[in-house]
Every structure is written in C-alpha cells, then in structure tokens.
Amino acid sequence: MKKIKQIKTCLELEKAFGITEITLPGKTTRNTKQEFEQFRQTVLKCTKCDLHPTRKTVVFGDGNTLSSIMFVGEAPGEEEDKTGRPFVGKAGQLLREVISEFLPCDQVYIANILKCRPPQNRLPTRTEIGSCLPYLSSQIKFIKPSIICCLGSTATTVLLGKQSVTMGAIRGKSFQSIYGTVFVTYHPSFLVRRGLIDLPIFKNDIKQALIASGMIKR
Ligand code: SF4
C-alpha cells in the first residue's frame, strides 16, 4: 500500500513537471551497448527544451555502464558544458577525488538530472526537468544500478518524487523510489561553498553508498 502511494506521488510530481511519458527502470528494452550508444547520439542532438541554444555541449553522463552505482547531480556547470563530461569542475573534482579514495572513478557512472547547462548555473526549471528526466530514466533502466546516489537537493527531490527535501535530515539515508534504491548526500558544490567543513560527513556518505551498492566491502 505504501509502495502504491509512493508511485502515485512520483507520477503526480512527474505530471507537474510536464512529463507525459515515463520510462520506468526495470526490465530493459535498451539492452545492448550499441543501442545505448545510439540513444546517447540522439540525446547529444536534443533540442527539447529552452537550454539547447545556450549550451556548448550536451553532457550525457559517463563512466561504467555495468556499474552497480550511479551518481546523479543537478546539471552541468561551466567546465562540464565546455568538456561534455559531468563533474569535472572544482566541485566535480572533489567528488572524483573522494570516490577515488575507495575505488577507481571509472568504475562508477556519473550523470545529472539535466544534460545541458542552465545559464549562470541557475536552478533547473520544472519544464526543463520534465523535458530531460526521461533521458536519465532511460540511463537508469539500461545501467540498472543497485544504488542511485543523489548529490544535493535537486536530484533528491526529483528522484524521490517530492516537492522539497531538507538535506540535513535525510542525507546519509536510503529510500525506495520508482527509480530504485536512492541514497542521499550533499552536492559537492555545497561542500566547496562551505569551506569543506562537511567533507568528513560527505566522505563517509560516499563510502556508505559504495558499500550499499556492493562496489566495496565494509
Ligand atoms: S536539457 Fe535535456 S531536454 Fe533540454 S535540450 Fe538539453 S538534453 Fe534536451
């Protein structure tokens, strides 16, 4: 009963984002690397929302598509927009350094809710999220991670199907959503803004997420 209520809430929220068609994680129809690459090539040409004229590149996501863990952030920033790779700016380097303390970074998959950079790194709009989320949904469906580690409040609200979240109250915890098991932690840019005082907490969260995914041992 709780699960049905949760799915209903998620669907209502997705409808509010303007999503009329969703791709639920589960049995995959995109089951070959070639099909995934074709899908990636399609996304790289996307003009579905108003972000396409101002972006330099579409930041599809990268890493190991066989990984048991996916990290999901908010949207590309300036460096990501230039390079086409997720989490390569200052905050992204911090995330990659922390992951690398436990395993090589290329063993995980990293993506964002949005594939294109919002101007001046402003927050994504509901319309942009509604346009772009089916792509992430398809990535999750293909990769089938055991754990989706949400970085920050945008990824968390969207993937948990909530209107808003209080990060301090839910970080370091796992939740079930229609996308699978979602683990919540801070966005690394939040840590950078606060002078890294939360870095030990963040490192422990990443470690717990990796343990929960089975990628590392306790
Ligand atoms: S943000 Fe997503 S939906 Fe919008 S243009 Fe980029 S890829 Fe397409």
Side-chain angles (χ1 to χ4, degrees):
M1 206 55 196
K2 195 176 163 198
K3 183 107 178 164
I4 292 170
K5 200 173 162 204
Q6 191 184 44
I7 291 172
K8 190 166 171 269
T9 307
C10 286
L11 291 175
E12 280 169 0
L13 194 76
E14 295 206 338
K15 194 175 166 197
F17 281 134
I19 295 174
T20 52
E21 190 181 315
I22 60 165
T23 315
L24 287 173
K27 267 196 157 183
T28 181
T29 50
R30 259 184 240 289
N31 52 6
T32 68
K33 277 207 158 189
Q34 193 185 12
E35 283 170 323
F36 191 66
E37 179 54 24
Q38 281 168 359
F39 164 61
R40 191 178 78 89
Q41 292 299 330
T42 303
V43 177
L44 295 183
K45 292 180 229 142
C46 179
T47 56
K48 261 172 40 181
C49 83
D50 287 347
L51 293 177
H52 81 272
T54 52
R55 74 173 182 230
K56 288 191 176 69
T57 57
V58 172
V59 183
F60 178 77
D62 72 13
N64 184 354
T65 54
L66 298 175
S67 185
S68 302
I69 189 163
M70 264 181 90
F71 290 88
V72 178
E74 181 177 296
E78 191 176 5
E79 280 307 307
E80 291 78 12
D81 186 43
K82 275 188 210 157
T83 60
R85 294 191 62 218
F87 284 90
V88 291
K90 193 173 176 186
Q93 283 171 26
L94 176 64
L95 172 68
R96 288 174 184 274
E97 276 167 28
V98 171
I99 293 171
S100 300
E101 287 188 21
F102 304 105
L103 80 179
C105 225
D106 60 6
Q107 289 188 19
V108 307
Y109 196 90
I110 305 178
N112 281 302
I113 296 288
L114 289 191
K115 311 293 183 208
C116 300
R117 182 191 182 203
Q120 283 82 49
N121 296 346
R122 63 155 171 73
L123 285 173
T125 66
R126 281 178 165 245
T127 307
E128 289 157 2
I129 293 172
S131 300
C132 212
L133 190 54
Y135 294 146
L136 180 68
S137 213
S138 291
Q139 284 171 297
I140 294 170
K141 187 179 176 188
F142 180 83
I143 295 165
K144 297 200 276 304
S146 304
I147 294 285
I148 302 167
C149 183
C150 285
L151 303 163
S153 58
T154 297
T156 305
T157 50
V158 172
L159 294 190
L160 288 185
K162 293 189 178 295
Q163 296 288 349
S164 64
V165 290
T166 306
M167 286 302 290
I170 64 167
R171 62 129 286 281
K173 295 179 184 160
S174 292
F175 302 88
Q176 290 305 313
S177 97
I178 57 168
Y179 298 98
T181 305
V182 167
F183 183 91
V184 179
T185 189
Y186 295 129
H187 194 285
S189 64
F190 171 80
L191 303 186
V192 172
R193 282 199 304 276
R194 283 170 50 92
L196 302 185
I197 56 169
D198 304 295
L199 186 57
I201 294 173
F202 182 69
K203 279 186 184 178
N204 191 51
D205 283 353
I206 298 295
K207 184 179 175 187
Q208 294 312 317
L210 289 168
I211 289 170
S213 72
M215 295 292 288
I216 62 168
K217 298 242 179 295
R218 197 169 285 276

